[in-house]
Amino acid sequence: MINSSKDRITSSQAVVILVNYILAAGILTLPRLSVEKVKTPDVWISVFLGGLIAMIGGVIIVKLSQQFPGKTFYQYCQEIVGKWVGGFLSLVIVCYFFTISAYEVRTMAEVTGFFLLEGTPTWGIILPFLWVGFYLIIGGINPIARMFEIIFPITIIIFLLVTFMSLGIFEIDNLRPVLGLGILPMLKGIKTATLAFLGPEIMLLLVAFLKQPDKAVKVVLIGISIPLIFYVLTVVMVIGALSVDGVVTRTWPTLDLMRSFEITGLIFERFESLLLVIWIMQIFSTFTITYYAAALGLAQLFKKNIKPFIYGLIPIIYIIAMFPKNINDLFKLGGTIGNVAIFLFGVLPLILLSISRLKGEKHETKSS
Amino acid sequence: MKQKLDFESQKKKVSKSSQELSEHFTSDFTLNLELVRKKIGHNSDVNFREFHIGGTGVCAAVIFVDGLSDKELIDKHIMKSLMESFSEKGVISNEFIKNQILSISELTEVHDLNNLVSKVLTGSTALLVDGVPNVIILGTTKGKSRNIEEPVSEVLVRGPRLGFTETLSDNTALLRQHGDNRDLSIINFQVGLRTKKELVIAYIKDIADPDLVEEVKDRIKKINIDDVPESGYVEQLIEDNYLSPFTQVQSTERPDRVFSALMEGRVAILLDGTPFALIVPVTFSMLLHSPEDYYERWLPTSLLRLLRYFAAFISLFGPSFYISFVSFHQGLIPTKLALSIMGTREGVPFPAIIEALIMEVAIEIFREAGLRSPKPIGPTIGIVGGLVIGEAAVQAGIVSPFMVIVMALTAISSFAIPQYSAGITLRMLRFVAMFFAAMYGLYGVVLFFLFVCSHLVKLKSFGVPYISPIVPFRVSDWKKFMVRIPLMMKKRRPR
């Protein structure tokens, strides 16, 4: 079903998917979350290290997937640890995917409701978003990849434009001193920073779709480097403009950065709308890819057609998205997802990789 | 739909009668003639002319359709040469007539009535000779056609002034005339069950993907309809997704456009009786490109191309941006501008969406009226519609002057799109965008954009992704899509 030649994606498409998946809520919240932990301007070093850690995790995931060419995690997991454990792990990952997709949708609804549509009920914002996403993923991985390729250049152009416009209020002193309080506070931020790079887990599935699976490691490295640049740039600009103390008090510091300067004489005087536009697109891409990953997981687990699962997941995602009562609940949900992800995608792939290696060796010794 | 139903009910009759008709000719002249007479003799425009072959007394007859066949040709090269006394009174055989008497280049032989009728009714002349079971068909077609003129629907400042006509042979000739290209294949089909029509597909043999050619052939063979009046019918019957608002087949009147498409590996479909040729597969960028882009120097045309994309953007999103900024996000536009817009909207009793709808529907009506009315009235409609009503609507306080500007801008922008069908698509989608904007403001516009993109990435035209030059991401094709790179840098064919 999914292994037909039409459903292949190129390496560059995989990079784009990965970048779009990683870039999501983090752009808006990462500066605050990490500064809360670090409390010094050295956050950007933490973000940098977080990206490196994510790369290591991504490479492990790729190595694991490359052991089973043409198969997604849901298919090979059962081969490694047996039918029941494998099925259970797959289910957990499916749950993870649709929870994160619901989380992204809700975050989007919160921000949009706050900045663009005051008074519009959350369900009113969420529902059309779900339907558009549904319409996209019913077409399979190829349309998704192509869609992301449209979103990607728009994101880069607008993001760079907006970022460089805020250079006017950037003060280098806000970023000094570098490592003034030693390395320790900087290390505290690494976990938060790493969580902003959630996304390489999609390689558990994507490697199976790749035209050239042997390039997957490269895909991961490039695919994480681009968000790394984005994030470091964002953190540097936000802290440089708002200072450490200013960042902590703001819920969406990046948007506040855009609101805090005006360039007169242009059609737009304020640019947070532009940032919001690309940000909504980024959330859309994260939402669709996780939604698809969850549906694909269920379809492969039960060996059925993917369509009924795509239909069936919509109400589930909607209910989970509506579950947090307020924005604090939502951030708590985000934290929980992060903790689960660290186990699922930091530890689990390593274990599975070593098991499969061991099994492989046994197999080889037997056959020889 | 109705035609299809009709066809279903008559399918049986057709097959029955065609069995009856597939009668072969015998060597009995009078019987043969009677057979033909019975079939088409009742038509007043079918001429039967019986005569004796020069000096021998052998009976013969020519059958042709008045007006469709070239009478002068028949008189001079068929009748005259046959009725002249032959010096040697040899046997009047088929070969003798064919090889020594008839000085006409296009000549075929048929054995049964069915073929004869279809040839005669398309302008050929049938020659029946006593004692010969074969009927000779002579190509004397001289259809009514107009001269080759400049295409009306696609105007260029610079470029060939040739346009297709309603005659298929003229059109294929125009393609051949483009230059000596041995790989240009022109393949003939017949479409239509009751009215048979000639249709050709043209492609360059070693550039076009063989799978694509096969696919086109397949789809044309599957066309199941009584009559094909215009290539628009073919277009609708072979397109991939009939629910999509986007045209998946490009139509053009310009041979140069067809030829450049052929050189890109596309397939052209030409139908007899219409000057509009079809090009498949279509990709999104084609709808915004004009052949002139390549005739002028690269710098101005690149800029013009960018301008066209901008126009398409305005044409699609203009009113929806107005709606979302006026009714949702006044804070996002400069304060002075916001104040002046609000000031002009002071007396307007409607919300922005109603205001925009009034004006946008009005301009669509003006446009439609101007299009269908006789030529001299067109400008009057423009003046009355655009100037008088626009001005009066503002003074009456129904719409704000700012809305009139937006409306005018979107209308003009949609004219800047070189393809008429693409313009229509954008005009339709503009209304959808307006509703999205009225519901959700800027968020709605983004949603709508995502929605349209989601549709576009799924859409395929003959197996080729609709937006293919944009994605999959190829830098070289991207450059071509956005700007028109200098010709000397164009060395590689698009894949």
Side-chain angles (χ1 to χ4, degrees):
Chain A
M1 181 181 67
I2 65 134
N3 291 331
S4 65
S5 59
K6 272 186 183 172
D7 276 335
R8 296 280 171 209
I9 54 174
T10 61
S11 311
S12 65
Q13 281 180 322
V15 169
V16 170
I17 291 179
L18 192 54
V19 173
N20 278 328
Y21 181 16
I22 296 175
L23 290 178
I27 299 183
L28 299 192
T29 53
L30 177 67
R32 176 174 52 84
L33 289 175
S34 47
V35 169
E36 272 174 1
K37 288 269 157 50
V38 180
K39 296 196 178 71
T40 68
D42 301 328
V43 177
W44 57 277
I45 307 176
S46 317
V47 173
F48 196 74
L49 291 177
L52 290 184
I53 293 173
M55 279 185 199
I56 297 169
V59 170
I60 293 174
I61 289 173
V62 166
K63 287 285 170 209
L64 175 63
S65 291
Q66 280 176 336
Q67 305 259 314
F68 304 90
K71 283 186 178 167
T72 68
F73 177 80
Y74 307 117
Q75 288 165 324
Y76 64 67
C77 182
Q78 301 190 352
E79 283 183 29
I80 303 176
V81 287
K83 199 178 172 197
W84 291 106
V85 182
F88 174 73
L89 282 177
S90 299
L91 259 186
V92 171
I93 286 181
V94 166
C95 289
Y96 165 80
F97 273 130
F98 68 67
T99 313
I100 203 168
S101 125
Y103 166 76
E104 297 290 345
V105 173
R106 180 62 188 268
T107 316
M108 186 280 304
E110 287 295 329
V111 176
T112 313
F114 186 70
F115 285 98
L116 288 176
L117 294 167
E118 275 166 64
T120 309
T122 310
W123 61 263
I125 298 176
I126 288 181
L127 273 182
F129 197 77
L130 287 184
W131 279 114
V132 175
F134 162 79
Y135 180 69
L136 174 66
I137 74 160
I138 207 93
I141 186 80
N142 251 323
I144 296 178
R146 269 182 251 137
M147 181 77 183
F148 286 17
E149 279 177 303
I150 297 179
I151 294 178
F152 182 62
I154 300 177
T155 310
I156 289 192
I157 291 169
I158 296 189
F159 179 80
L160 291 181
L161 192 79
V162 170
T163 314
F164 285 112
M165 276 186 186
S166 62
L167 269 180
I169 52 168
F170 179 78
E171 276 178 45
I172 192 75
D173 283 343
N174 282 336
L175 283 169
R176 286 177 186 155
V178 176
L179 292 179
L181 294 173
I183 299 177
L184 212 61
M186 185 268 290
L187 290 179
K188 280 185 199 155
I190 287 185
K191 188 192 152 198
T192 324
T194 313
L195 284 181
F197 288 96
L198 273 186
E201 64 266 24
I202 199 66
M203 293 310 285
L204 286 173
L205 317 175
L206 272 193
V207 175
F209 289 103
L210 276 181
K211 266 182 192 149
Q212 296 156 305
D214 45 316
K215 284 196 179 164
V217 172
K218 220 173 157 188
V219 167
V220 167
L221 295 183
I222 300 174
I224 298 179
S225 314
I226 296 173
L228 184 64
I229 298 168
F230 267 68
Y231 279 153
V232 170
L233 215 58
T234 312
V235 170
V236 167
M237 291 314 284
V238 170
I239 296 177
L242 302 177
S243 83
V244 173
D245 301 324
V247 172
V248 184
T249 51
R250 291 174 160 99
T251 319
W252 314 104
T254 316
L255 282 175
D256 283 329
L257 166 69
M258 300 302 155
R259 301 180 107 183
S260 54
F261 65 93
E262 287 191 355
I263 295 177
T264 45
L266 292 176
I267 301 173
F268 296 102
E269 280 189 338
R270 285 160 43 190
F271 296 91
E272 85 256 25
S273 54
L274 278 180
L275 187 72
L276 270 178
V277 165
I278 59 161
W279 184 76
I280 291 172
M281 289 182 189
Q282 284 304 324
I283 292 274
F284 180 76
S285 46
T286 308
F287 157 64
T288 43
I289 191 69
T290 46
Y291 180 9
Y292 181 74
L296 183 74
L298 288 174
Q300 292 189 336
L301 214 52
F302 297 104
K303 297 194 172 62
K304 292 263 166 59
N305 192 343
I306 192 167
K307 280 201 178 148
F309 295 106
I310 296 180
Y311 284 103
L313 275 176
I314 274 210
I316 298 177
I317 292 179
Y318 176 73
I319 291 167
I320 298 177
M322 293 304 283
F323 196 70
K325 284 193 195 71
N326 52 37
I327 199 156
N328 290 328
D329 272 9
L330 184 66
F331 286 144
K332 262 184 219 157
L333 177 68
T336 319
I337 292 176
N339 290 334
V340 174
I342 285 191
F343 169 73
L344 271 185
F345 306 114
V347 184
L348 188 67
L350 205 58
I351 300 172
L352 288 178
L353 184 63
S354 30
I355 294 178
S356 77
R357 279 271 162 87
L358 280 177
K359 270 192 176 174
E361 272 170 28
K362 261 187 204 167
H363 195 69
E364 269 170 34
T365 45
K366 263 181 202 169
S367 60
S368 65
Chain B
M1 196 64 214
K2 197 174 169 258
Q3 242 162 341
K4 237 184 184 171
L5 282 178
D6 277 353
F7 165 70
E8 288 296 331
S9 63
Q10 285 172 1
K11 210 175 188 177
K12 284 173 193 167
K13 281 187 209 166
V14 171
S15 58
K16 214 194 263 174
S17 57
S18 66
Q19 263 178 1
E20 284 168 21
L21 285 176
S22 61
E23 286 171 54
H24 286 258
F25 292 115
T26 54
S27 34
D28 188 345
F29 175 71
T30 37
L31 209 68
N32 285 352
L33 202 60
E34 201 48 45
L35 216 60
V36 181
R37 251 189 230 283
K38 231 163 84 187
K39 184 66 189 159
I40 50 173
H42 59 280
N43 297 309
S44 59
D45 60 340
V46 179
N47 283 354
F48 290 78
R49 170 76 161 87
E50 286 171 63
F51 58 95
H52 294 281
I53 289 182
T56 58
V58 176
C59 285
V62 288
I63 307 164
F64 60 94
V65 176
D66 221 3
L68 266 185
S69 308
D70 189 350
K71 255 188 195 160
E72 206 181 316
L73 198 70
I74 296 172
D75 291 349
K76 270 190 189 160
H77 295 274
I78 302 172
M79 301 288 287
K80 194 169 173 236
S81 35
L82 279 170
M83 285 165 88
E84 265 173 7
S85 301
F86 305 127
S87 50
E88 42 184 298
K89 290 183 181 173
V91 192
I92 305 296
S93 74
N94 215 0
E95 270 61 43
F96 177 67
I97 295 178
K98 254 168 44 183
N99 297 342
Q100 296 191 26
I101 308 289
L102 296 172
S103 48
I104 284 181
S105 59
E106 196 185 328
L107 189 148
T108 47
E109 282 179 58
V110 296
H111 309 279
D112 61 290
L113 185 59
N114 230 356
N115 274 332
L116 178 137
V117 168
S118 76
K119 294 280 186 202
V120 168
L121 289 184
T122 51
S124 299
T125 301
L127 173 65
L128 281 79
V129 181
D130 196 5
V132 181
N134 293 349
V135 176
I136 300 171
I137 301 289
L138 301 149
T140 53
T141 311
K142 186 192 159 197
K144 300 293 172 215
S145 64
R146 62 181 167 93
N147 289 333
I148 290 170
E149 285 161 14
E150 194 180 352
V152 188
S153 66
E154 292 156 271
V155 184
L156 295 190
V157 176
R158 176 171 181 179
R161 301 261 180 246
L162 293 175
F164 284 130
T165 69
E166 282 78 4
T167 318
L168 184 62
S169 53
D170 285 358
N171 296 348
T172 50
L174 278 175
L175 287 185
R176 284 271 178 223
Q177 196 186 307
H178 187 86
D180 172 18
N181 189 331
R182 280 135 226 237
D183 295 319
L184 172 63
S185 313
I186 292 181
I187 294 181
N188 188 40
F189 286 90
Q190 277 201 329
V191 289
L193 291 161
R194 312 215 118 228
T195 317
K196 296 243 184 323
K197 270 202 158 174
E198 297 287 309
L199 179 150
V200 300
I201 65 170
Y203 57 93
I204 309 281
K205 215 184 291 162
D206 50 359
I207 304 181
D209 183 3
D211 292 341
L212 172 70
V213 176
E214 276 312 305
E215 178 72 30
V216 175
K217 284 182 185 169
D218 268 4
R219 290 196 193 181
I220 284 170
K221 278 178 201 154
K222 276 188 196 138
I223 291 179
N224 186 349
I225 193 168
D226 276 1
D227 177 31
V228 190
E230 214 273 336
S231 55
Y233 273 67
V234 179
E235 172 178 347
Q236 291 167 57
L237 289 168
I238 62 172
E239 68 188 355
D240 290 61
N241 182 351
Y242 64 94
L243 289 174
S244 168
F246 289 91
T247 46
Q248 296 141 59
V249 178
Q250 191 185 27
S251 65
T252 179
E253 278 188 272
R254 304 195 65 93
D256 55 329
R257 189 169 212 157
V258 169
F259 212 86
S260 67
L262 293 184
M263 295 308 280
E264 285 170 356
R266 300 179 206 270
V267 176
I269 301 168
L270 292 93
L271 182 75
D272 195 19
T274 172
F276 286 94
L278 305 176
I279 300 171
V280 291
V282 170
T283 48
F284 183 68
S285 61
M286 268 172 87
L287 301 176
L288 292 170
H289 290 181
S290 157
E292 205 178 357
D293 291 0
Y294 296 95
Y295 302 152
E296 285 289 351
R297 299 189 61 246
W298 73 276
L299 200 55
T301 50
S302 300
L303 292 174
L304 285 178
R305 197 176 265 187
L306 288 177
L307 192 69
R308 237 178 271 141
Y309 288 118
F310 184 61
F313 184 79
I314 291 183
S315 157
L316 187 54
F317 290 115
S320 41
F321 274 129
Y322 173 78
I323 293 169
S324 48
F325 284 132
V326 166
S327 21
F328 288 92
H329 325 292
Q330 295 93 343
L332 294 182
I333 40 180
T335 325
K336 274 184 191 167
L337 184 63
L339 283 179
S340 76
I341 293 178
M342 289 308 134
T344 58
R345 288 200 79 237
E346 197 91 305
V348 179
F350 309 114
I353 172 74
I354 302 291
E355 189 193 355
L357 268 183
I358 291 174
M359 281 328 268
E360 289 298 329
V361 170
I363 192 115
E364 291 300 323
I365 293 173
F366 300 151
R367 186 178 351 215
E368 189 62 19
L371 203 64
R372 304 284 164 229
S373 54
K375 257 181 199 165
I377 307 178
T380 325
I381 292 173
I383 293 166
V384 173
L387 294 178
V388 178
I389 295 188
E391 183 65 30
V394 169
Q395 286 190 350
I398 301 173
V399 297
S400 69
F402 207 79
M403 182 61 230
V404 177
I405 298 176
V406 171
M407 174 210 72
L409 202 63
T410 40
I412 300 293
S413 299
S414 66
F415 287 129
I417 296 159
Q419 283 281 311
Y420 180 68
S421 52
I424 291 185
T425 307
L426 294 186
R427 274 153 65 190
M428 283 191 303
L429 290 178
R430 181 197 306 154
F431 284 90
V432 186
M434 279 157 65
F435 284 112
F436 268 87
M439 289 272 289
Y440 291 109
L442 203 56
Y443 172 64
V445 177
V446 176
L447 264 189
F448 174 73
F449 175 77
L450 290 174
F451 185 54
V452 171
C453 286
S454 299
H455 174 70
L456 279 176
V457 293
K458 293 208 284 187
L459 195 61
K460 283 187 172 184
S461 170
F462 284 81
V464 176
Y466 200 66
I467 46 164
S468 48
I470 318 173
V471 292
F473 205 81
R474 273 189 230 113
V475 179
S476 50
D477 285 355
W478 242 81
K479 271 188 297 192
K480 217 186 124 190
F481 168 67
M482 293 306 283
V483 298
R484 216 273 282 152
I485 52 171
L487 281 181
M488 53 270 209
M489 282 162 69
K490 282 180 57 174
K491 295 222 170 87
R492 218 169 44 82
R493 283 203 186 94
R495 272 179 286 170

